[in-house]
Amino acid sequence: TSLREAHVLDFDGDLSGQPPIVGFVVFLRPDRKYNGVEELSEQPQHDCAATRHVVVCPVTKQARLASTRQPGQMISPAS
């Protein structure tokens, strides 16, 4: 069984009892080991910042990065 974590950005509500429907849009980064709790606890902030650089076309539903990178190419929050 594969387990993934999803974050809902800019949502302030209650989703209790709602079935989760999550779709893959673009690959941000591979799994990795961290050198400590501080580094691990900072990663979600970096992931959220990187996610905000993803653009989804409302007509075709295709995702691309807001930069010159191709869909599915890894991005980092520093880019």
Side-chain angles (χ1 to χ4, degrees):
T1 302
S2 180
L3 178 65
R4 296 293 180 244
E5 182 177 339
H7 294 266
V8 180
L9 303 178
D10 302 325
F11 178 79
D12 186 23
D14 184 8
L15 296 175
S16 299
Q18 300 296 317
I21 300 173
V22 179
F24 179 82
V25 176
V26 67
F27 183 76
L28 293 177
R29 64 175 176 82
D31 290 338
R32 60 172 285 216
K33 291 186 179 185
Y34 297 92
N35 295 319
V37 175
E38 183 176 339
E39 190 177 309
L40 171 64
S41 66
E42 292 172 351
Q43 189 61 52
Q45 294 172 354
H46 297 300
D47 291 345
C48 288
T51 300
R52 293 183 189 283
H53 290 279
V54 175
V55 176
V56 178
C57 176
V59 175
T60 66
K61 306 297 186 206
Q62 291 183 330
R64 68 174 179 81
L65 302 176
S67 67
T68 59
R69 294 185 182 87
Q70 297 299 313
Q73 185 178 0
M74 287 178 36
I75 60 174
S76 66
S79 57

